[in-house]
Amino acid sequence: MRLRLPEERPTEPPTGYKIAHPVLSQDGTRAGFTGVSLGGALPYAVLDEARCVYGLRHRAPHRRCDCGFHCVHDRAEAEALLCTGEHRAAVLLEVSVLGAYIRFERGFRYARQRVRTMTVGSCGCGGAAVALADADWGRPGWRALRAACTGCVRGRTSLSPAVFERLAGEGLRVRVAQAAVGYPAGLGVSELVAEAALLQARLDWFQTQLAQLEERGPQA
């Protein structure tokens, strides 16, 4: 006798959160996403159906496979993944879980999804993002994108968040997070004085090194 898993029939699609890399098609006419782990080889659209990454013909999510879209229940848990070095350039997605799904303690594995919102972080230099620029890597037929500020976007293939939103279609909303700040909030006068002293000490050290090089004169 085979035990059957309990079935859920929600009145509205469950909401989940995940991280991904935004991508732009080679011809610049389509925008989508690619995953950060197992599903990274298969870029997907805002509204899309999962396929088995191993090329098997069963429908995702199959109980004896790990195929299908993945997401977590908690937004904070997804945001925590953006702290790791390999995921710093990823974006945060809020998705609707559609079709058949398997519920786990921390999230879902499911058949279809609709990406509702994409939240873009700050540029790698800490500046406010104004565009999504070529990230210097990609998948066949797709360029990976990352947040870029005005200074870092120069000379790179890029598009504005509004254009990405339009190319992706299906009602996607793109949000841009506030830029990172140089110092933690709430520093008092003593902490700021200490930071200033440290910067001055470094400047004095560089000036000393420069003076020594000038005294030596040009090297043969």
Side-chain angles (χ1 to χ4, degrees), residues 69-99:
F69 290 122
H70 295 73
C71 71
V72 295
H73 300 302
D74 188 5
R75 180 188 179 100
E77 186 171 352
E79 289 176 330
L81 297 175
L82 297 172
C83 295
T84 62
E86 64 270 28
H87 298 154
R88 290 286 177 91
V91 297
L92 177 70
L93 304 181
E94 178 183 312
V95 302
S96 290
V97 175
L98 306 174

Side-chain angles (χ1 to χ4, degrees), residues 78 123 128 194-195 202 208:
C123 178
E195 292 288 348
R202 290 175 178 173
T208 300

Side-chain angles (χ1 to χ4, degrees), residues 8-175:
E8 299 182 23
R9 298 187 181 277
T11 57
E12 295 182 357
T15 296
Y17 303 90
K18 62 194 300 182
I19 63 172
H21 295 287
V23 294
L24 178 68
S25 64
Q26 184 178 0
D27 60 7
T29 61
R30 293 173 294 155
F33 307 94
T34 186
V36 298
S37 56
L38 181 65
L42 299 175
Y44 55 89
V46 171
L47 178 62
D48 214 335
E49 186 169 346
R51 293 158 286 166
C52 180
V53 294
Y54 303 110
L56 302 177
R57 294 185 177 181
H58 57 238
R59 287 186 176 183
H62 196 276
R63 210 176 292 179
R64 296 183 179 179
C65 186
D66 52 6
C67 59
F69 290 122
H70 295 73
C71 71
V72 295
H73 300 302
D74 188 5
R75 180 188 179 100
E77 186 171 352
E79 289 176 330
L81 297 175
L82 297 172
C83 295
T84 62
E86 64 270 28
H87 298 154
R88 290 286 177 91
V91 297
L92 177 70
L93 304 181
E94 178 183 312
V95 302
S96 290
V97 175
L98 306 174
Y101 62 81
I102 300 174
R103 180 187 289 272
F104 296 93
E105 180 181 359
R106 297 172 61 185
F108 299 98
R109 181 161 64 90
Y110 51 103
R112 299 178 66 241
Q113 75 176 4
R114 178 188 294 276
V115 182
R116 299 204 304 254
T117 63
M118 176 180 87
T119 302
V120 181
S122 58
C123 178
C125 71
V130 298
L132 293 165
D134 191 342
D136 295 327
W137 66 275
R139 305 287 184 230
W142 296 89
R143 300 173 185 265
L145 305 174
R146 64 175 300 161
C149 66
T150 304
C152 296
V153 78
R154 294 174 182 171
R156 306 175 74 85
T157 300
S158 63
L159 65 164
S160 69
V163 172
F164 184 94
E165 188 178 272
R166 177 175 58 81
L167 294 178
E170 298 292 347
L172 175 71
R173 292 291 176 261
V174 178
R175 300 171 180 169

